[in-house]
Amino acid sequence: MDDMRIVERQLDQQELKIKADNVQVYYGTSHAIKDVSVEIEDKTVTAFIGPSGCGKSTFLRCLNRMNDTIDICRVEGQILLDGENIYDKKVDPVQLRAKVGMVFQKPNPFPKSIYDNVAYGPRIHGLAKNKAELDEIVEKSLRRGAIWDEVKDRLDAPGTGLSGGQQQRLCIARAVATEPEVLLMDEPCSALDPIATAQVEELIDELRSNYSVVIVTHSMQQAARVSQKTAFFHLGNLVEFGETGQIFTNPVDSRTESYITGRIG
Amino acid sequence: MPETHIQTAFDRDLEAIQALIMKMGGMVEAAITDAAKALETRDEALADMVRGNDKAIDELETRVNEEAIRVIATRAPTAIDLRTVVSVMKVSGNLERIGDYSKNIAKRATVLTQMSQIHDTAPAIRRMAQAVELMLIDALDAYIKRDAKLAEDVRLRDAEVDQMYNALFRQFLTYMMEDPRNITGCMHLHFIAKNIERMGDHVTGIAEQVIYLVTGTLPEDNRPKNDRTSFQKALEE
């Protein structure tokens, strides 16, 4: 496919950011992820699609060890971030999650002011030397979250007082405030209206120039719009992984085709 | 892959557009036959009918495009569905052009009835038209059956039509050299043969769309071309 975006991508030769090898995930006895190997490139938006319960969110959560918090969850295999195994005992999950940020499906602002929601991460990671720098980070992050104009006059108001869509954009601002290298997004727009969705998608595309973004979405059109690579999961298997244009015009696997065209599969 | 969408209305939309293509195909097939027949039997009334029917073909093309655009806007088709919608737009364009060529043949047939017959060239032209019509029938059949093999076969058969055109080209040249009074008639006959040769190219285009629809890629190899008249010296000076 001579998609313009590919041509663009081939120009700035992609580096590998995350490499997953034969990853298996079990919840107790249930085998949720079956032998998934995938390579996620830097400066690329990768979309995970698939029916509910196919394992895409589970796999996404493996990428910053969010599954550690679930007792019955067991992860096997290897996930390398910049060549280092993130499941190595030496790796501090808190440091890892500063590098691999996450935005969830349901907005979950801290019960603090809008300002403190965004300033929290930079503060604990010591990213700002003084108040002026912190102010700058907060403003920049809120702008990137496409919410600055709506909240600039009430930064002291509680984050929980915002509307659902605004809360989600606040969470995105919070996630980008620590300048992560990888941003994981689990259905980030399911609670947003079309305008806010477009703003978030624009933000995702902007983030792509510096970071690697992995997004789980149920909206096929969103995956097609924002991603350069698409992975289709089905029943815990990675069925097909390829260039987004190819997946949406000429998928190789019939299960992918059934799913994206809305046929019973 | 299961044939039906979860949203059955999507299936109905796609079927409706493809039904329009088939209707258009039937009309275009008739136009080719009738135009060639009008030429051979010097039937002015039939030629007029072909010219009149072209409007309906054009209107169908417009409708196919409108419906396809509506499906793109409302259903955001992907994969096989997207290829279906894109292919109907291209196929309807090809069919519309074939219809135009038939109309042009009918127009020239009307002019030719006013002249004395030049040798016995009409049967050869009718055979050529028949070959193209059979190709079109097979191409549309391949479309409905999603049969890439049949489409490939159609695509290769265009070489025969090119050969028929070459033969006619030489024949007309000879007649014109024999007697300059033949020039006007032969020029019309030559344009008719050229029109049929072009129809063959459009049928080939339809066959290629079938291959794209089924496989997701257009055939890459250059199909054999046998129209060499552009290189032929007009007269042995």
Side-chain angles (χ1 to χ4, degrees):
Chain A
M1 295 252 107
D2 289 334
D3 182 335
M4 275 313 290
R5 291 182 297 183
I6 321 263
V7 178
E8 206 178 294
R9 211 181 54 233
Q10 277 163 348
L11 286 179
D12 44 69
Q13 273 301 313
Q14 293 306 298
E15 282 169 33
L16 203 56
K17 191 71 190 171
I18 297 176
K19 188 173 190 301
D21 279 323
N22 310 102
V23 174
Q24 320 273 352
V25 179
Y26 301 86
Y27 289 117
T29 52
S30 120
H31 197 174
I33 295 285
K34 296 166 189 160
D35 205 28
V36 170
S37 298
V38 68
E39 295 186 346
I40 291 167
E41 291 164 357
D42 198 12
K43 299 185 178 153
T44 300
V45 180
T46 304
F48 289 174
I49 59 170
S52 292
C54 68
K56 55 193 189 303
S57 291
T58 297
F59 187 72
L60 187 79
R61 292 160 62 91
C62 289
L63 301 180
N64 71 346
R65 292 182 57 174
M66 289 295 284
N67 289 330
D68 286 14
T69 57
I70 303 169
D71 287 338
I72 57 162
C73 182
R74 189 156 51 85
V75 180
E76 286 173 10
Q78 222 184 21
I79 297 175
L80 305 175
L81 173 66
D82 291 327
E84 279 180 62
N85 187 1
I86 62 168
Y87 280 89
D88 195 290
K89 287 193 179 62
K90 287 181 298 196
V91 173
D92 173 8
V94 177
Q95 288 300 323
L96 172 70
R97 287 172 203 149
K99 267 170 101 176
V100 184
M102 189 150 185
V103 176
F104 299 86
Q105 182 169 8
K106 245 177 87 184
N108 53 353
F110 300 136
K112 289 169 178 287
S113 71
I114 292 168
Y115 184 96
D116 287 338
N117 259 282
V118 182
Y120 186 81
R123 266 190 198 126
I124 62 165
H125 290 289
L127 299 181
K129 284 192 224 75
N130 50 48
K131 175 83 167 78
E133 262 186 41
L134 193 61
D135 287 351
E136 204 182 305
I137 292 175
V138 169
E139 178 177 342
K140 193 173 122 202
S141 303
L142 287 169
R143 280 188 191 281
R144 299 183 92 172
I147 193 180
W148 172 251
D149 290 336
E150 289 157 65
V151 301
K152 62 183 176 202
D153 301 322
R154 46 172 171 152
L155 291 175
D156 293 330
T160 46
L162 297 169
S163 77
Q166 288 172 325
Q167 285 186 19
Q168 186 66 323
R169 280 177 286 150
L170 176 63
C171 291
I172 293 171
R174 187 179 64 189
V176 298
T178 57
E179 298 277 336
E181 294 169 24
V182 179
L183 193 60
L184 307 179
M185 303 179 120
D186 193 349
E187 287 272 1
C189 298
S190 58
L192 303 191
D193 71 15
I195 303 292
T197 300
Q199 286 166 334
V200 171
E201 287 177 2
E202 171 64 15
L203 164 72
I204 292 171
D205 199 55
E206 236 170 72
L207 292 171
R208 181 166 77 88
S209 54
N210 293 310
Y211 315 124
S212 169
V213 180
V214 185
I215 177 169
V216 163
T217 175
H218 274 137
S219 160
M220 231 72 70
Q221 284 314 303
Q222 180 168 57
R225 282 193 301 263
V226 303
S227 74
Q228 289 79 50
K229 285 285 185 82
T230 298
F232 171 63
F233 286 81
H234 186 60
L235 302 172
N237 298 299
L238 177 63
V239 173
E240 189 166 350
F241 180 55
E243 191 273 313
T244 298
Q246 175 253 315
I247 296 275
F248 284 93
T249 54
N250 193 15
V252 175
D253 196 285
S254 63
R255 286 169 292 176
T256 315
E257 179 129 31
S258 289
Y259 182 68
I260 62 167
T261 58
R263 288 174 167 82
I264 304 146
Chain B
M1 190 183 52
E3 288 299 308
T4 55
H5 287 91
I6 298 166
Q7 294 167 311
T8 50
F10 193 174
D11 287 322
R12 286 200 294 276
D13 284 354
L14 291 176
E15 276 159 24
I17 302 183
Q18 293 180 86
L20 287 177
I21 286 283
M22 286 303 126
K23 189 174 170 196
M24 219 180 147
M27 289 167 77
V28 171
E29 282 167 23
I32 301 174
T33 320
D34 291 345
K37 195 170 163 204
L39 176 70
E40 194 180 15
T41 58
R42 301 168 77 85
D43 184 341
E44 241 175 298
L46 188 58
D48 283 348
M49 202 189 81
V50 173
R51 291 165 70 177
N53 286 350
D54 187 55
K55 201 161 177 263
I57 297 174
D58 291 354
E59 280 167 3
L60 267 178
E61 191 213 6
T62 310
R63 244 190 90 196
V64 167
N65 283 338
E66 282 169 0
E67 291 296 316
I69 287 166
R70 200 179 56 79
V71 168
I72 292 172
T74 57
R75 306 243 174 235
T78 53
I80 182 77
D81 302 331
L82 176 63
R83 301 204 301 271
T84 303
V85 175
V86 171
S87 70
V88 293
M89 294 177 89
K90 293 213 166 182
V91 170
S92 72
N94 288 127
L95 287 173
E96 190 272 333
R97 292 299 304 151
I98 297 173
D100 283 354
Y101 286 127
S102 303
K103 181 184 170 187
N104 187 268
I105 292 171
K107 214 157 111 186
R108 293 180 193 279
T110 312
V111 178
L112 284 166
T113 52
Q114 317 299 324
M115 301 177 190
S116 57
Q117 205 151 11
I118 304 159
H119 296 275
D120 205 15
T121 47
I125 288 185
R126 186 181 42 78
R127 274 197 299 279
M128 192 179 168
Q130 215 162 37
V132 169
E133 198 203 330
L134 286 175
M135 276 170 69
L136 178 61
I137 291 172
D138 282 349
L140 293 173
D141 204 31
Y143 183 82
I144 280 301
K145 293 184 184 147
R146 303 287 193 262
D147 185 344
K149 227 176 133 248
L150 180 57
E152 182 59 31
D153 177 56
V154 169
R155 186 171 168 260
L156 297 175
R157 267 154 61 193
D158 189 44
E160 296 165 24
V161 176
D162 288 352
Q163 239 147 24
M164 289 176 176
Y165 169 65
N166 289 341
L168 279 169
F169 181 88
R170 269 185 303 249
Q171 221 176 326
F172 296 143
L173 213 54
T174 314
Y175 296 154
M176 287 190 275
M177 285 191 292
E178 267 173 21
D179 184 349
R181 280 173 299 177
N182 282 338
I183 288 177
T184 311
C186 277
M187 284 305 288
H188 281 298
L189 286 168
H190 169 250
F191 274 118
I192 287 171
K194 185 70 197 166
N195 283 346
I196 301 172
E197 189 272 329
R198 291 295 298 141
M199 286 178 183
D201 292 345
H202 282 285
V203 175
T204 305
I206 295 173
E208 285 172 353
Q209 282 307 307
V210 174
I211 295 171
Y212 171 71
L213 176 63
V214 177
T215 66
T217 44
L218 280 170
E220 271 169 28
D221 62 309
N222 288 322
R223 65 193 172 82
K225 287 248 163 66
N226 278 312
D227 171 8
R228 297 188 200 290
T229 50
S230 5
F231 310 112
Q232 194 164 8
K233 280 186 199 159
L235 291 167
E236 311 295 331
E237 289 133 308

